[in-house]
Amino acid sequence: MRWQHPTKGLLSAGTFFDGVYRLGLAEEIDLLVLEQIEADVSSAMKSGICLPPNAMNVSAQSLKRGHVLNRIKTSALVSHGLSIEISESVDFEADIDGARALLQSLRRLGVRIEIDDFGTGHASIFSFQKIAPDRIKIARELLLDVRRSEQTRQLIRSTCQLAKSFNARVVAEGAEDIETARLLQSLGCDFIQGFGLSRPKALSQILLELALTQTPQQTAIA
């Protein structure tokens, strides 16, 4: 998500989303993102390209109100493959049973549940057990000194062990170079994300790269 600001240029979500929350617009933004993903998947399929499963963030406001989750239930993305990422800033324990019921109804449809920014917010082992996420994403802030600090490396190892004891896989955010990506993989992270692997790209660029890498059988399936 980006905002083409009239004077400051192109801004990432982290620079303006606090304002979105204050204005009460997070749920509307989530719906727009969902609609954009649906349009992108449809466009790719018409081009004969099979996009990988998608993941989208769902804000705390959307989680509590439930409208976005109910909209997801009717989306074609459910059959295509979809994960919803819930920020750890959400206070799961404030309404753990209500949140769990909503999320489990989506999981029954095949939607994967992920906890984003793990290690910086409210999630406890109790809420982890209740929510039973399919994946957790270790927050970038926890990884900044992973190459210099043995304590940080041990923290990542322990987090991976905890996640896997709940049958959850681990995504590490913020890999700014290949060496860091390899280190995170050696510590037990299943997936690596960061500018060291790829910067955000337009859909047209993603489709071009997939067209060059997918086999004829994969393209035919689409």
Side-chain angles (χ1 to χ4, degrees):
M1 191 192 312
R2 299 292 184 270
W3 176 21
Q4 187 63 54
H5 192 279
T7 59
K8 297 180 180 180
L10 193 64
L11 302 179
S12 64
T15 62
F16 63 82
F17 216 78
D18 284 345
V20 170
Y21 267 107
R22 287 196 300 271
L23 292 170
L25 297 174
E27 190 173 43
E28 293 182 44
I29 295 291
D30 286 348
L31 286 170
L32 287 173
V33 170
L34 177 62
E35 291 168 2
Q36 185 64 56
I37 297 173
E38 289 173 332
D40 289 348
V41 169
S42 176
S43 174
M45 292 181 68
K46 290 176 182 176
S47 301
I49 302 297
C50 182
L51 283 178
N54 293 272
M56 66 170 287
N57 291 92
V58 173
S59 65
Q61 291 178 10
S62 295
L63 183 65
K64 291 173 182 176
R65 294 172 184 169
H67 298 150
V68 173
L69 299 187
N70 286 324
R71 169 68 173 77
I72 288 172
K73 292 179 182 179
T74 65
S75 174
L77 293 174
V78 171
S79 58
H80 175 77
L82 179 67
S83 298
I84 59 171
E85 300 179 6
I86 303 164
S87 173
E88 206 194 51
S89 61
V90 174
D91 188 354
F92 293 103
E93 294 176 27
D95 184 18
I96 189 71
D97 292 324
R100 182 172 182 267
L102 272 172
L103 296 174
Q104 290 299 337
S105 67
L106 286 174
R107 180 175 277 124
R108 285 193 291 271
L109 296 174
V111 177
R112 292 186 299 276
I113 309 301
E114 305 184 10
I115 297 179
D116 199 8
D117 296 327
F118 189 82
T120 61
H122 291 283
S124 65
I125 294 177
F126 172 72
S127 59
F128 200 119
Q129 185 179 32
K130 282 281 191 176
I131 298 297
D134 298 285
R135 295 200 299 195
I136 64 168
K137 299 181 73 174
I138 301 176
R140 180 179 181 277
E141 291 85 345
L142 297 181
L143 305 173
L144 293 177
D145 64 347
V146 68
R147 293 176 64 180
R148 301 187 303 274
S149 170
E150 174 57 32
Q151 186 177 28
T152 298
R153 291 192 289 274
Q154 184 55 50
L155 175 64
I156 302 307
R157 288 190 197 97
S158 300
T159 301
C160 291
Q161 291 168 359
L162 172 66
K164 290 170 186 181
S165 71
F166 287 97
N167 297 316
R169 306 190 80 181
V170 179
V171 183
E173 299 182 314
E176 302 300 334
D177 52 63
I178 295 299
E179 289 75 16
T180 301
R182 288 172 177 159
L183 173 59
L184 292 169
Q185 189 176 35
S186 73
L187 295 174
C189 298
D190 301 293
F191 303 95
I192 313 298
Q193 176 180 318
F195 289 169
L197 303 177
S198 176
R199 300 191 71 85
K201 298 176 181 177
L203 178 65
S204 57
Q205 180 64 28
I206 293 172
L207 293 181
L208 176 60
E209 292 181 7
L210 287 174
L212 295 173
T213 58
Q214 288 186 349
T215 66
Q217 290 84 358
Q218 287 176 306
T219 306
I221 289 173

